[in-house]
Amino acid sequence: MDLNILYTTDHNYSNITAVSILSTIMNNKNCRLHFHVITADFEEEDYRLLKAITEENEDVDLNFYDFDNFNIEDFNIPSWRGTQIANARLFFQDIIETSKIDKLLYLDSDTIILDDLVDILNCKGTVGAVPETVLNYRLKELGVKRYFNSGVLLLDICKWIEGDYQRKITDYRKKNPNLPLKYPDQDLLNVAIGEEITELPYEYNMPPYVLATGLNLRNHFYNDKRKYNNFNDVENKVKNAKIYHCCDFAGIKPWAKNNVNPFNEEFDKYMEIVNPNLNKEKLSGAKRILAEHKTLLYLILYMKNVILPENVIQKVENIQLKRK
C-alpha cells in the first residue's frame, strides 16, 4: 500500500515538520510512504534535517518543491502570519508531480500521527476534511452551513483535476475580492467548495481542547448550542485518535515552554529524536503566566466558552488576529 503525504512548510517550522514526518514513519510500518514537501525560505540545514529522518528507511521517499518559484501574488490571497506557504496547499496540482498519485493526504506541519493512516484512503469524495470546532458565529460570518479545518485534507487527485477545483477556488476569490479571510486557505476552501467536502472522522484531526482536563472543561466546552461537535461525539473519539493537531491552545504550543498544552508529552517524545537540543520558545507577559498555571488557563477558557456572549468572543478573536 502506498501513502502519499503533502506538507507545506518554511524554515521556521522545519523542526515541527520533522516531528510530524517522524511520527508518521514510526506509526505506519505497513505501507510505502511518499512525502511531498513544498518549502519556502528553506535553508540547507532544513533539508538535511528532513532527509536524515527519511533516508534510512527504504520504504520512504522524500520529494521537495520550492514554493518561492510560484507566483501566488496573482491570486489576491492574504498571507497567514507573514507567509504565503499555508496557501500553497490550494495550488498543489501546479507544484508537485501528481501523475502517479491516486489520493493525496495533506497534513499541517503541526500534526502528530498516532496510528496507522491507511484506512483514511477508504474515505470517498473529492476532498475530505474534519469539521472545525467553531462557535456558531463563524458559520454565520461566512454564510456556510458547515466549516471544515484545512489542517488535514484527503484529496482525490483525478476528481480534483477533472472537477477543476483549483479554478473554482481562484474564480471565487476573483468574484469576491473584498471578502475578509481570517484563515485564508481554510476560508476559501469552505466558501468556494465547502458544499462538496466530505466529512472525515473526527479522530483524524483532533485539536488540543479535546484533551483538556480540569474544571470539567471538556463537558462545558463542547455543547450543542456553541460547537459543531457535542460532548458525547468528542468523548467517544478521544481514545481512538489518529492525528493530534497542535493548533491554537490559547496561543500556547508544545514547542513553547509550558505546563498546560495536552500534547506536550507526545510532541516531546518525537522532538527528542529530531532535535534534542531544541530551545523551546520562551513566552512572555500574560501568555507566560497562563502557560505556567493550568487551573487559571482552564478557568479563562471556561469563561470564554460558557459565559461570554458570541459577539464578544468574535471581537476578541479579531483583535488577536490583528496582533499576529
Side-chain angles (χ1 to χ4, degrees):
M1 177 69 72
D2 290 273
L3 184 59
N4 285 275
I5 300 175
L6 171 67
Y7 289 93
T8 64
T9 187
D10 60 15
H11 169 68
N12 294 325
Y13 265 66
S14 59
N15 279 284
I16 291 128
T17 306
V19 164
S20 184
I21 290 176
L22 179 61
S23 67
T24 304
I25 294 172
M26 292 182 68
N27 291 292
N28 288 266
K29 300 290 189 180
N30 298 318
C31 61
R32 292 180 296 276
L33 297 171
H34 309 279
F35 292 106
H36 307 269
V37 184
I38 301 175
T39 66
D41 301 320
F42 245 39
E43 300 178 2
E44 283 303 317
E45 64 185 82
D46 302 319
Y47 289 111
R48 284 196 297 269
L49 176 66
L50 299 191
K51 288 177 181 178
I53 294 170
T54 59
E55 63 186 2
E56 293 184 3
N57 194 320
E58 61 182 18
D59 289 326
V60 175
D61 65 73
L62 177 65
N63 306 280
F64 290 108
Y65 309 85
D66 189 354
F67 188 59
D68 294 330
N69 297 325
F70 187 81
N71 194 14
I72 195 171
E73 288 75 16
D74 292 345
F75 300 100
N76 186 31
I77 302 174
S79 62
W80 169 243
R81 294 179 177 173
T83 177
Q84 285 280 358
I85 191 61
N87 296 323
R89 76 195 75 182
L90 302 177
F91 302 94
F92 72 89
Q93 74 178 70
D94 288 344
I95 301 173
I96 75 170
E97 174 56 54
T98 61
S99 61
K100 296 181 181 180
I101 301 176
D102 180 18
K103 289 188 177 181
L104 180 66
L105 178 62
Y106 169 81
L107 298 175
D108 265 0
S109 293
D110 59 353
T111 53
I112 304 173
I113 312 309
L114 308 173
D115 203 352
D116 194 305
L117 297 178
V118 172
D119 286 347
I120 198 173
L121 299 178
N122 296 325
C123 297
K124 299 180 180 180
T126 303
V127 183
V130 174
E132 175 72 84
T133 301
V134 296
L135 296 167
N136 288 339
Y137 79 79
R138 195 74 183 101
L139 304 176
K140 300 172 185 175
E141 199 172 52
L142 290 174
V144 295
K145 295 181 180 179
R146 301 181 303 168
Y147 186 73
F148 294 90
N149 184 283
S150 64
V152 176
L153 300 170
L154 181 64
L155 303 157
D156 186 305
I157 300 301
C158 289
K159 291 180 180 178
W160 175 277
I161 294 175
E162 289 175 0
D164 210 1
Y165 280 81
Q166 180 175 299
R167 183 187 58 79
K168 289 181 180 180
I169 293 170
T170 56
D171 282 356
Y172 186 95
R173 185 56 177 168
K174 287 179 182 178
K175 294 176 182 177
N176 301 273
N178 298 318
L179 177 70
L181 300 173
K182 285 185 179 180
Y183 312 100
D185 68 276
Q186 184 167 286
D187 285 350
L188 278 175
L189 280 169
N190 278 279
V191 295
I193 63 171
E195 293 183 359
E196 301 175 69
I197 295 178
T198 300
E199 186 172 323
L200 294 178
Y202 193 64
E203 51 262 45
Y204 284 106
N205 190 346
M206 195 161 285
Y209 291 107
V210 176
L211 298 187
T213 57
L215 298 180
N216 205 14
L217 177 64
R218 188 156 54 204
N219 190 22
H220 294 289
F221 191 87
Y222 291 95
N223 59 80
D224 294 328
K225 293 183 179 180
R226 307 189 66 162
K227 293 290 184 296
Y228 184 91
N229 301 94
N230 63 41
F231 175 74
N232 289 330
D233 291 339
V234 170
E235 196 69 9
N236 291 334
K237 302 296 184 182
V238 171
K239 294 180 181 180
N240 299 315
K242 301 278 191 180
I243 300 174
Y244 284 164
H245 188 184
C246 304
C247 49
D248 195 48
F249 186 67
I252 301 169
K253 307 286 190 176
W255 49 90
K257 289 186 176 181
N258 78 94
N259 302 318
V260 299
N261 194 296
F263 294 161
N264 282 342
E265 183 177 353
E266 197 69 27
F267 178 84
D268 290 344
K269 179 173 69 175
Y270 295 105
M271 185 55 78
E272 277 295 317
I273 301 173
V274 168
N275 184 0
N277 299 316
L278 178 73
N279 292 319
K280 287 202 169 186
E281 175 188 351
K282 293 181 179 180
L283 302 175
S284 60
K287 191 178 291 187
R288 180 183 61 80
I289 296 173
L290 292 177
E292 295 174 353
H293 302 284
K294 183 181 292 187
T295 301
L296 176 60
L297 172 61
Y298 286 177
L299 177 60
I300 291 174
L301 292 175
Y302 172 86
M303 293 173 62
K304 173 183 175 182
N305 292 282
V306 179
I307 298 174
L308 292 181
E310 288 186 356
N311 64 325
V312 173
I313 297 171
Q314 181 179 8
K315 291 179 181 178
V316 171
E317 290 189 350
N318 287 338
I319 292 173
Q320 290 174 336
L321 281 170
K322 289 179 181 178
R323 288 176 177 174
K324 291 178 179 177

